[in-house]
Amino acid sequence: MSETVAELRYELALANRILAHENVFDAFGHVSVRHPEDPNRYLLSRSRAPELVETGDILEFTLDSKPVDHPTVQLYAERVIHGEIFKARPDVMAVCHHHAPAIMPFCIAGEEIVPVFHIGATMGTQVPFWDSRDEFGDTNLLVVKPEEGASLARTLAGNSMVLMRHHGATVVGATLRQLVFRSIYTCRNAEFQMAAKMLKTVSRLTPGETEMAAAVNLAPNASSRAWEYWVVRLEKSGGMPPR
Amino acid sequence: MSETVAELRYELALANRILAHENVFDAFGHVSVRHPEDPNRYLLSRSRAPELVETGDILEFTLDSKPVDHPTVQLYAERVIHGEIFKARPDVMAVCHHHAPAIMPFCIAGEEIVPVFHIGATMGTQVPFWDSRDEFGDTNLLVVKPEEGASLARTLAGNSMVLMRHHGATVVGATLRQLVFRSIYTCRNAEFQMAAKMLKTVSRLTPGETEMAAAVNLAPNASSRAWEYWVVRLEKSGGMPPR
Amino acid sequence: MSETVAELRYELALANRILAHENVFDAFGHVSVRHPEDPNRYLLSRSRAPELVETGDILEFTLDSKPVDHPTVQLYAERVIHGEIFKARPDVMAVCHHHAPAIMPFCIAGEEIVPVFHIGATMGTQVPFWDSRDEFGDTNLLVVKPEEGASLARTLAGNSMVLMRHHGATVVGATLRQLVFRSIYTCRNAEFQMAAKMLKTVSRLTPGETEMAAAVNLAPNASSRAWEYWVVRLEKSGGMPPR
Amino acid sequence: MSETVAELRYELALANRILAHENVFDAFGHVSVRHPEDPNRYLLSRSRAPELVETGDILEFTLDSKPVDHPTVQLYAERVIHGEIFKARPDVMAVCHHHAPAIMPFCIAGEEIVPVFHIGATMGTQVPFWDSRDEFGDTNLLVVKPEEGASLARTLAGNSMVLMRHHGATVVGATLRQLVFRSIYTCRNAEFQMAAKMLKTVSRLTPGETEMAAAVNLAPNASSRAWEYWVVRLEKSGGMPPR
């Protein structure tokens, strides 16, 4: 394994734990990154609660979501979310699927999430809504078949986030750190949007504001300031992955 | 005492502490398990806040909720909740009674809890509502007489959870770990349902979705992933029961 | 100083810290206890955030809220809340004044708090509402003059808790531990009442239920189970007062 | 560097961390203090998450928000918020800009914040609302140009706090500790106001009450009691800045 891959596996374990510590994941949810040396593969943990993921748990998958080696460990059932999006979106380098409490009310009520503050603008101007019943009728709601993953990827289209009816959300990023930033701050945006609605009314950023605010908040300065912060918070909680 | 029983007593102490750490219990609430070698007995702590329960606190009771030995310690007043449900439901291996903040609004407002996301589907398609006044009029609301416990068990019927007016909830499981999983995730479901209602509206899973999603989430893979997570969280908090 | 008094001063420091740790107090709020050997005196900390109070901070006051010794330290401005209630209510052995987030919405909206679950019944059947403007017009809202304290005590009358417009609440108890129990669980009751209102509607316990549920929850068994729990939680947080 | 300045830089690092620990800041937000020996300069950290700021991060700026030395580190983009307010308000000694969850619903819904309890009265009788679109149209919402900072300062006028549409709030103080007190308790006020609105209705303090309650709560006794409390809480969390 190259040093680049080794380092990225550690960073992915760290991303798992940060997303758990910042209330995006609980026992469930998963985050992947495209292989840095082979765009037809991606890295994802074995089936394990994200807060506990270590470097040794990270496995390699083809874009058909088959494990490259023949692991004896349990795998996440919903790998196709990652594989099908990596197939459909060559620009995407990292994918996060979660059931954060912040976004679940929107998934259940069928309410649109819109950017309501500058950092939330990183969601983009539109967050589509995917309903598994439209194509597949009654299911157990998990996205386990390739065609289910492909359907989700079609609804995501060129956007950065998609809500999934009665289930959760899937978020994508051009880098792993950008993905972590977007996943956390779209949750904050959802909380603020819901609170504004309960207080009085929701007004959203204009399209122009959204585009400009997204650009500045996805720039390395904002993202690295936040990353340092989340790492220190994780350290204080005793939650860093072993080196 | 056999090794099986000794191990189960430790697991029950652990379940007590996990349920407290995950905000199902506070100073009150209790969880029991049927005796693994004698279906006419069950194990339950002496009267103590669940977060503090140790193996040595676990006592053995008949299904009439009489202690098998003659302990000098204080006992939970509401033991009949456990005993009467174990009598009425041979399929039930574990019972949890709680007043979690997540479900209290439903118990007070008289609002039905319904499955609103895939993991919440573990509640089943119906959660009946028990009102102590219907049969017993004004009481102190505690379920302390055998006939009160039996009445609650009749309302629970073949379901997995029952709400109790102005009081709390009682949840059952086919194993202790399944019970812990269901107790925690039905609380999450209640929180999401309430938030969706405040945001806009509640839509529930279809009966078909509920059945299929419950099956997959009660399977050992989901349950053991979550159990490992809760144990690690409890460990980090310094809350493990002494061995 | 007798051993009884020494022990009670430690217990009062502990009560201060428990009430802070359980979100009744923040930087403000105070709790007192009647002197165990002289009913015309009471014990209260010098002006300090409750979470930090130590045995050495506890001072002795007359029922006119004058310090018995001539301390050089800063005193709480609102001592008359304690002194005037101890004067008016010989049955009261402990007094707590707080601005807990749980009850502030009721103080601001002018909404009545009512018992909505069995443990909340410890508030009693009625919680009167005191508005400082009625007798005193515009003030800085602090209760600092003896006549203000006496007015508050008259509104409290024979009840266990009084809400104060735009300010907070004052709670009384027959023992210090009962007071701590009632202060914490009336906050939980307020949270549940508010949530039930937002979810759908509030239904209260009947008067008969309230009386019976209050009796059982104020009995030593419930109170001591909860006290042990709060002490252990405080210990885990590293917050015990030095011996 | 004089001892006064050295001490103030430490206090500013402490203020950064307290405001983060008390949920005013997250990865973003910043707090400054006017230079104690040169009113035409101010002290502010380099670009860093406030919870992590150390004495060595504190830099000196002119009122035009130019760094006095030529640091190679990244600077906060929104320095002009501080510089332009220090220019316009000679009475102001400290400035805090934040996006606290407590106030964001008001910034998004366009709802006025009003004093609803005695400690919240420290916001003053009026909190103006600044909308960047009024003068500048679509922007990325950051306040980065001197004319944007000057516009914000004009809307702030002689008040103590200003809300910023879809962005956050800026708070000022006559001392750094007063600023920290006001920043934290205006957030508590916002939470209580929102909760009262959801419960039933909001009633505000009268102008006379607001003025009198602000005076007593900005006095050194209240402020130093709270400061000691926040420092101890920060210490317990392991978050003190290195000396």
Side-chain angles (χ1 to χ4, degrees):
Chain A
M1 191 186 308
S2 74
E3 205 175 309
T4 305
V5 173
E7 194 47 44
L8 190 58
R9 289 168 82 228
Y10 182 77
E11 184 114 341
L12 185 56
L14 195 51
N16 268 277
R17 289 169 180 238
I18 285 172
L19 288 164
H21 193 246
E22 302 297 334
N23 295 313
V24 176
F25 292 150
D26 63 350
F28 298 96
H30 21 86
V31 54
S32 67
V33 66
R34 197 187 285 269
H35 195 291
E37 291 160 357
D38 181 353
N40 291 313
R41 295 196 172 170
Y42 66 90
L43 305 175
L44 177 72
S45 171
R46 68 176 172 101
S47 176
R48 198 174 194 194
E51 190 166 317
L52 280 51
V53 167
E54 308 181 13
T55 308
D57 296 321
I58 309 291
L59 305 174
E60 200 175 319
F61 296 89
T62 66
L63 295 196
D64 285 329
S65 298
K66 309 286 187 217
V68 171
D69 298 318
H70 300 285
T72 54
V73 292
Q74 192 81 29
L75 305 179
Y76 289 131
E78 298 191 300
R79 301 186 302 280
V80 295
I81 293 176
H82 303 268
E84 297 303 317
I85 288 176
F86 283 127
K87 269 188 209 167
R89 289 280 301 272
D91 61 310
V92 164
M93 293 296 134
V95 176
C96 171
H97 169 63
H98 68 77
H99 324 133
I103 56 98
M104 291 306 293
F106 294 83
C107 301
I108 293 162
E111 178 81 349
E112 194 187 2
I113 293 193
V114 298
V116 295
F117 82 122
H118 57 308
I119 315 183
T122 52
M123 72 175 59
T125 50
Q126 203 196 346
V127 177
F129 197 93
W130 183 73
D131 186 340
S132 54
R133 286 179 312 180
D134 289 347
E135 284 184 57
F136 306 101
D138 277 3
T139 66
N140 65 12
L141 287 153
L142 297 184
V143 179
V144 292
K145 297 180 189 161
E147 57 267 32
E148 291 167 340
S151 167
L152 177 68
R154 278 194 304 275
T155 299
L156 172 65
N159 299 292
S160 296
M161 183 176 182
V162 57
L163 291 191
M164 301 154 79
R165 174 187 160 276
H166 287 155
H167 182 158
T170 299
V171 186
V172 302
T175 68
L176 181 59
R177 292 193 182 191
Q178 184 192 87
L179 173 74
V180 169
F181 189 93
R182 180 178 278 140
S183 298
I184 292 173
Y185 276 108
T186 48
C187 285
R188 293 301 84 75
N189 188 99
E191 289 162 355
F192 298 164
Q193 179 179 342
M194 176 158 169
K197 177 97 182 282
M198 291 192 291
L199 178 63
K200 187 173 167 186
T201 187
V202 174
S203 80
R204 57 182 291 167
L205 300 191
T206 67
E209 287 175 325
T210 303
E211 199 177 320
M212 285 186 272
V216 73
N217 281 296
L218 294 174
N221 184 28
S223 176
S224 64
R225 192 201 308 179
W227 185 265
E228 186 195 15
Y229 168 68
W230 290 318
V231 169
V232 169
R233 280 165 60 87
L234 186 65
E235 274 173 351
K236 281 193 199 169
S237 78
M240 289 292 280
R243 269 285 185 189
Chain B
M1 190 186 309
S2 74
E3 205 176 310
T4 305
V5 174
E7 194 47 44
L8 189 58
R9 288 168 83 230
Y10 182 77
E11 184 113 339
L12 184 56
L14 195 51
N16 268 276
R17 290 170 179 238
I18 285 172
L19 288 164
H21 193 246
E22 302 298 333
N23 294 313
V24 176
F25 293 151
D26 64 349
F28 299 97
H30 21 86
V31 54
S32 67
V33 67
R34 197 187 287 268
H35 195 291
E37 292 160 356
D38 180 353
N40 290 312
R41 295 197 172 167
Y42 67 89
L43 304 175
L44 177 72
S45 171
R46 68 176 173 101
S47 175
R48 198 174 194 195
E51 189 167 317
L52 282 50
V53 167
E54 309 181 13
T55 308
D57 296 322
I58 308 291
L59 304 174
E60 200 175 318
F61 296 89
T62 66
L63 295 197
D64 284 329
S65 299
K66 309 286 187 217
V68 171
D69 297 318
H70 301 285
T72 54
V73 293
Q74 192 81 29
L75 305 180
Y76 290 130
E78 297 189 302
R79 301 186 301 282
V80 295
I81 293 176
H82 304 268
E84 298 303 318
I85 289 176
F86 283 126
K87 269 188 209 168
R89 289 278 302 271
D91 61 312
V92 164
M93 293 297 134
V95 176
C96 171
H97 169 62
H98 68 78
H99 323 133
I103 57 97
M104 291 306 293
F106 294 83
C107 301
I108 293 162
E111 177 81 351
E112 193 187 3
I113 294 193
V114 298
V116 294
F117 82 122
H118 56 309
I119 315 183
T122 52
M123 71 176 60
T125 50
Q126 202 196 347
V127 177
F129 197 93
W130 183 72
D131 186 341
S132 53
R133 285 177 314 179
D134 289 346
E135 284 184 56
F136 305 101
D138 277 2
T139 65
N140 66 12
L141 286 152
L142 297 184
V143 179
V144 292
K145 296 181 189 160
E147 57 268 34
E148 291 168 340
S151 167
L152 178 67
R154 278 194 304 275
T155 299
L156 171 66
N159 299 291
S160 296
M161 182 176 183
V162 57
L163 291 191
M164 302 155 78
R165 174 188 161 274
H166 287 155
H167 182 157
T170 298
V171 185
V172 302
T175 67
L176 181 58
R177 291 193 182 191
Q178 183 192 88
L179 173 74
V180 169
F181 189 93
R182 180 179 277 141
S183 298
I184 291 174
Y185 275 107
T186 49
C187 285
R188 292 302 84 76
N189 188 98
E191 289 161 354
F192 298 163
Q193 179 178 344
M194 176 157 169
K197 176 96 182 283
M198 291 193 291
L199 178 63
K200 188 173 167 185
T201 188
V202 174
S203 80
R204 59 182 290 169
L205 300 191
T206 67
E209 287 175 326
T210 303
E211 200 178 320
M212 284 186 270
V216 73
N217 280 295
L218 293 174
N221 183 27
S223 176
S224 65
R225 192 201 309 180
W227 184 265
E228 185 195 17
Y229 168 68
W230 290 320
V231 169
V232 169
R233 280 165 60 87
L234 186 66
E235 274 173 350
K236 281 193 198 171
S237 78
M240 289 293 281
R243 267 285 184 188
Chain C
M1 189 187 310
S2 73
E3 206 176 309
T4 305
V5 174
E7 194 46 44
L8 189 58
R9 289 168 83 229
Y10 182 77
E11 182 114 338
L12 185 56
L14 196 52
N16 268 277
R17 290 170 180 237
I18 285 172
L19 288 164
H21 193 246
E22 302 297 333
N23 294 314
V24 176
F25 293 151
D26 64 349
F28 299 97
H30 20 85
V31 55
S32 67
V33 67
R34 198 186 286 269
H35 194 292
E37 292 160 357
D38 180 352
N40 291 311
R41 295 197 172 168
Y42 67 89
L43 304 175
L44 177 71
S45 171
R46 68 175 174 100
S47 176
R48 199 175 194 195
E51 189 167 317
L52 282 50
V53 167
E54 309 181 12
T55 308
D57 296 322
I58 308 291
L59 304 174
E60 199 176 319
F61 297 89
T62 66
L63 295 196
D64 284 330
S65 299
K66 309 286 188 217
V68 170
D69 298 318
H70 300 285
T72 53
V73 293
Q74 193 80 29
L75 305 179
Y76 289 131
E78 298 189 301
R79 301 186 301 282
V80 296
I81 293 175
H82 304 269
E84 299 302 319
I85 288 175
F86 283 125
K87 269 187 207 167
R89 289 279 301 272
D91 61 312
V92 164
M93 293 297 135
V95 176
C96 171
H97 169 62
H98 68 78
H99 323 132
I103 56 98
M104 292 306 294
F106 294 83
C107 301
I108 293 162
E111 177 82 350
E112 193 187 3
I113 293 193
V114 299
V116 294
F117 82 122
H118 57 308
I119 315 184
T122 52
M123 70 175 62
T125 50
Q126 201 196 348
V127 177
F129 197 93
W130 184 72
D131 186 342
S132 53
R133 285 178 315 178
D134 289 347
E135 284 184 57
F136 306 101
D138 276 3
T139 64
N140 65 13
L141 287 152
L142 297 184
V143 178
V144 292
K145 297 181 189 161
E147 58 267 33
E148 291 167 341
S151 167
L152 178 67
R154 279 193 304 276
T155 300
L156 171 65
N159 299 293
S160 296
M161 183 177 183
V162 56
L163 291 192
M164 303 154 78
R165 174 189 159 272
H166 288 154
H167 182 157
T170 299
V171 185
V172 302
T175 67
L176 181 57
R177 291 193 182 191
Q178 183 192 89
L179 174 73
V180 169
F181 189 93
R182 180 179 277 140
S183 297
I184 291 173
Y185 275 108
T186 48
C187 284
R188 292 302 85 76
N189 188 97
E191 290 162 355
F192 298 163
Q193 180 178 343
M194 176 157 168
K197 178 95 182 283
M198 292 193 292
L199 178 63
K200 186 173 168 187
T201 188
V202 174
S203 80
R204 57 182 291 167
L205 300 191
T206 67
E209 287 176 325
T210 304
E211 200 177 319
M212 286 186 270
V216 73
N217 281 296
L218 293 174
N221 183 27
S223 177
S224 64
R225 192 201 310 181
W227 184 265
E228 184 195 17
Y229 168 67
W230 291 319
V231 169
V232 169
R233 279 165 60 86
L234 187 65
E235 275 173 350
K236 280 193 200 170
S237 79
M240 289 292 281
R243 267 285 184 187
Chain D
M1 189 188 309
S2 74
E3 206 176 308
T4 306
V5 174
E7 194 46 45
L8 190 57
R9 290 167 82 228
Y10 182 78
E11 183 113 342
L12 185 56
L14 196 52
N16 268 276
R17 289 169 180 238
I18 285 172
L19 288 165
H21 192 246
E22 302 297 333
N23 293 314
V24 176
F25 292 151
D26 64 349
F28 298 97
H30 20 86
V31 54
S32 68
V33 67
R34 198 186 285 270
H35 194 290
E37 292 160 356
D38 180 352
N40 292 313
R41 295 195 171 169
Y42 67 90
L43 304 175
L44 178 72
S45 171
R46 68 175 173 100
S47 175
R48 200 175 193 195
E51 189 166 318
L52 282 49
V53 167
E54 309 181 12
T55 309
D57 296 321
I58 309 290
L59 304 174
E60 199 175 319
F61 296 89
T62 67
L63 295 196
D64 285 330
S65 299
K66 309 286 188 217
V68 171
D69 297 318
H70 299 287
T72 53
V73 292
Q74 193 81 28
L75 305 179
Y76 289 130
E78 298 190 301
R79 301 186 301 281
V80 296
I81 293 176
H82 303 268
E84 297 303 317
I85 288 175
F86 283 127
K87 268 187 207 167
R89 289 281 300 273
D91 61 311
V92 164
M93 293 298 133
V95 176
C96 171
H97 169 62
H98 68 78
H99 323 132
I103 56 97
M104 293 305 294
F106 295 83
C107 301
I108 292 162
E111 178 82 350
E112 194 187 1
I113 293 193
V114 299
V116 294
F117 82 122
H118 57 308
I119 315 183
T122 52
M123 71 175 60
T125 49
Q126 203 196 346
V127 177
F129 198 93
W130 184 72
D131 186 340
S132 54
R133 285 178 314 180
D134 289 346
E135 283 184 58
F136 306 101
D138 276 2
T139 66
N140 65 13
L141 287 152
L142 297 184
V143 179
V144 292
K145 296 180 188 162
E147 57 268 32
E148 291 167 340
S151 168
L152 177 68
R154 278 195 303 276
T155 299
L156 172 65
N159 298 292
S160 296
M161 183 177 182
V162 57
L163 291 191
M164 303 154 78
R165 174 188 159 275
H166 287 154
H167 182 158
T170 299
V171 185
V172 302
T175 67
L176 181 58
R177 290 192 182 191
Q178 185 192 88
L179 174 73
V180 169
F181 189 93
R182 181 178 278 138
S183 298
I184 291 173
Y185 275 107
T186 48
C187 285
R188 293 300 86 75
N189 188 98
E191 289 162 355
F192 298 163
Q193 179 178 343
M194 177 158 167
K197 177 96 182 284
M198 291 192 294
L199 179 62
K200 186 173 169 187
T201 187
V202 174
S203 79
R204 56 181 291 168
L205 300 191
T206 68
E209 287 176 325
T210 303
E211 201 177 319
M212 285 186 272
V216 73
N217 281 295
L218 294 174
N221 184 27
S223 177
S224 64
R225 193 200 309 180
W227 185 265
E228 186 196 16
Y229 167 68
W230 291 319
V231 169
V232 169
R233 280 165 60 86
L234 186 65
E235 274 173 350
K236 280 193 200 169
S237 80
M240 289 292 280
R243 267 285 184 188

